[in-house]
Amino acid sequence: MTIIEPPRKDVTPPYQIKKHSAPLRLWHWANTVVISGSLITVLINSTITDDQATSSLMKDEFKKAGASVTDEQARSVAHALSDSVWDVHKYFGYCLAGLLLFRLVLEFFQLADQKFIRKLKSVYVQFKTVKKDREETRHEFAVKIIYAIFYTLLIIMVVTGLFLAFEDAMAPFKSIRHAVKSVHGFCMYLILGFIVVHLAGVFLAERKDSKGIVSDMINGGRSD
């Protein structure tokens, strides 16, 4: 007689592949901090440490204290203060460049199911071939396209930012400095737009479907 033994409960279950790898999650949150810090420095320099506003404030305060400074002296001090904030902005830029390089290298070492390019191709194929649940597939494809645009913007931001940070070494290309600066600033506004759309999308998804998107980006989530 054949004896049927109950399944063993002490057997370790097969390894569950995470939707988001630990290095990718680290990159995501580090990138969030660096981009936020970079944008804050821009905000500070366009408001609090604006050269004209700061120099006027300094003149008024020195006058109240019984001291006298010229317009040129006040502008010089205000400009130095602004430059110190831009130095912090540069450091954030260097960190962003390092994180971008890390992300590009990470793409080669990710597991197949965790690679962004593979996910993008997969959802594109589903969008083109699958008739069932077309609405959900269309949404997934749109999300992946938005992320692809974001990565492209990051590359442009880093390249143009490094050009501006090392403009002395880029003297032969001085004629395009203004254009590079304009592109850098324009990409910043596009990234701001992405952040707004991203936060709104996460909020709506969490509220509507309870998919745990935020927790997945913390603990890794489960691969589908």
Side-chain angles (χ1 to χ4, degrees):
M1 178 184 294
T2 303
I3 299 175
I4 301 177
E5 296 183 354
R8 292 180 56 185
K9 296 183 179 180
D10 60 338
V11 177
T12 304
Y15 175 72
Q16 175 67 47
I17 298 177
K18 296 287 187 178
K19 182 189 298 184
H20 309 297
S21 66
L24 180 62
R25 283 175 274 147
L26 174 63
W27 173 85
H28 176 272
W29 294 114
N31 212 47
T32 300
V33 172
V34 170
I35 290 179
S36 298
S38 181
L39 293 175
I40 288 172
T41 57
V42 173
L43 178 63
I44 291 174
N45 254 3
S46 61
T47 54
I48 300 175
T49 58
D50 177 67
D51 285 2
Q52 185 174 354
T54 304
S55 61
S56 298
L57 177 62
M58 286 181 176
K59 282 191 64 179
D60 292 340
E61 292 302 317
F62 275 119
K63 188 175 181 180
K64 292 177 183 178
S68 177
V69 295
T70 64
D71 291 341
E72 185 177 350
Q73 289 172 329
R75 281 195 297 268
S76 178
V77 174
H79 189 69
L81 182 61
S82 178
D83 282 347
S84 65
V85 177
W86 281 128
D87 286 339
V88 176
H89 181 79
K90 288 180 182 179
Y91 295 140
F92 277 121
Y94 298 147
C95 291
L96 186 62
L99 286 171
L100 176 62
L101 179 61
F102 174 80
R103 180 65 184 90
L104 293 175
V105 172
L106 179 62
E107 183 68 13
F108 289 98
F109 293 94
Q110 291 269 78
L111 296 175
D113 292 337
Q114 295 174 336
K115 292 179 182 291
F116 175 78
I117 297 298
R118 181 186 175 97
K119 290 180 179 180
L120 180 61
K121 289 181 179 179
S122 176
V123 75
Y124 174 74
V125 171
Q126 292 180 32
F127 175 72
K128 296 293 289 185
T129 59
V130 178
K131 301 299 182 182
K132 186 179 180 180
D133 299 327
R134 191 66 177 270
E135 188 68 27
E136 183 176 350
T137 306
R138 183 186 295 111
H139 171 74
E140 287 293 324
F141 183 55
V143 170
K144 291 295 186 293
I145 290 296
I146 291 174
Y147 273 100
I149 294 173
F150 171 70
Y151 285 129
T152 303
L153 289 175
L154 274 186
I155 293 173
I156 296 174
M157 280 286 288
V158 167
V159 172
T160 54
L162 290 175
F163 179 96
L164 296 172
F166 296 98
E167 58 181 326
D168 291 338
M170 306 296 290
F173 305 96
K174 189 176 180 179
S175 59
I176 64 171
R177 182 187 182 281
H178 180 72
V180 171
K181 188 175 181 180
S182 296
V183 171
H184 188 75
F186 182 67
C187 284
M188 179 196 71
Y189 288 112
L190 293 179
I191 287 180
L192 273 173
F194 168 82
I195 292 173
V196 172
V197 172
H198 178 63
L199 291 176
V202 169
F203 175 79
L204 292 174
E206 290 280 1
R207 185 178 180 182
K208 181 180 179 181
D209 301 324
S210 299
K211 293 182 178 179
I213 296 176
V214 176
S215 60
D216 282 354
M217 192 49 74
I218 295 175
N219 60 40
R222 292 189 176 187
S223 181
D224 297 331

